[in-house]
């Protein structure tokens, strides 16, 4: 969209990539070494959660693999695909924040309308079946059907328009982080460094863009350090602002 001066106006919400990683940038907490002071790691995750709430986002999201940890069962569709985009359902909205999940396969079996106390919004493609949409409606789960779930700029423009979301806390995993990075949608990185190490070269990391070796998903972007803050138990919190470099 352009204004009267012919300048491009970004209609997407602000996206803050808020991640806790080991010092080597890995994302599987069960593999990290224990804190030096003997504190239970759960206390460090509480610190991470508190930092996240301080960011002031009115929505947050995981990638599908992480969401599967909360809702592991698959929906087995029997209906026909809806075949067209534009269908929007406003479900229950009793929480101050939304949890957003993009589900290209339209097969997460939700057993509740909330995750961690926040109402759910599901982004679906035109392959979503009529019975799946009915199941979401019965549970009071909001959904939005789009032409292409991979076109994230369009997805979040619609999320902002229909659901009035102004800021999203993107909390991984690495695949959704990488996709958002490649499409230039991240405005800020909030990196909480856990005082431990993974060390395995194949463990997932903060950004896991699924491309080939000729692609450079961070091209044209640069990071400006906003702040460094030491937190309890050896945690360090780094904040960076994303900038688009002139072409």
């Amino acid at each position: 969209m352009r204004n009267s001066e012919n300048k491009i106006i970004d209609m997407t919400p602000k996206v803050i990539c808020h991640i806790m990683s080991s010092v080597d940038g890995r994302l599987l907490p069960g593999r990290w070494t224990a804190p030096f002071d003997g504190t239970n790691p759960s206390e460090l995750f509480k610190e991470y959660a508190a930092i996240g709430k301080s960011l002031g986002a009115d929505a947050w999201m995981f990638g599908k693999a992480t969401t599967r940890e909360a809702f592991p069962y698959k929906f087995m569709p029997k209906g026909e695909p809806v075949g067209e985009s534009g269908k929007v359902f406003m479900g229950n909205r009793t929480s101050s924040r939304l949890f957003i999940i993009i589900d290209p396969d339209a097969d997460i079996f939700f057993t509740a309308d909330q995750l961690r106390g926040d109402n759910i919004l599901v982004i679906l493609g035109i392959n979503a079946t009529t019975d799946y949409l009915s199941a979401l409606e019965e549970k009071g789960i909001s959904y939005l059907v789009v032409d292409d779930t991979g076109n994230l700029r369009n997805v979040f423009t619609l999320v902002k328009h229909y659901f009035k979301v102004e800021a999203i806390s993107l909390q991984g995993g690495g695949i959704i982080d990488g996709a958002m990075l490649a499409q230039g949608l991240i405005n800020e990185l909030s990196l909480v460094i856990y005082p431990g190490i993974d060390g395995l070269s194949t463990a997932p990391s903060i950004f896991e863009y699924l491309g080939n070796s000729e692609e450079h998903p961070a091209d044209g972007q640069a990071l400006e350090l906003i702040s460094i803050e030491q937190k309890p138990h050896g945690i360090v919190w780094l904040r960076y602002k994303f900038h688009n470099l002139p072409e």
Side-chain angles (χ1 to χ4, degrees), residues 51-129:
I51 292 171
K53 289 183 178 179
S54 75
L55 297 174
D58 50 356
W60 61 287
M61 65 184 297
F62 286 147
K64 184 169 180 177
T66 308
T67 304
R68 280 276 191 215
E69 296 175 11
F71 301 107
Y73 301 110
K74 280 191 175 185
F75 182 86
M76 305 303 291
K78 297 178 181 178
E80 294 295 320
V82 292
E84 59 182 2
S85 63
K87 189 167 177 58
V88 181
F89 175 71
M90 305 287 184
N92 298 333
R93 189 68 188 268
T94 57
S95 59
S96 59
R97 301 194 306 170
L98 275 176
F99 170 74
I100 302 172
I101 172 63
I102 300 174
D103 183 7
D105 306 306
D107 67 355
I108 297 177
F109 187 88
F110 292 97
T111 53
D113 69 334
Q114 296 185 345
L115 179 61
R116 298 184 183 176
D118 293 322
N119 292 119
I120 297 169
L121 165 61
V122 188
I123 311 300
L124 302 164
I126 59 175
N127 59 315
T129 57

Side-chain angles (χ1 to χ4, degrees), residues 20 184 189 208:
M20 176 181 261
L189 174 61
E208 296 272 347

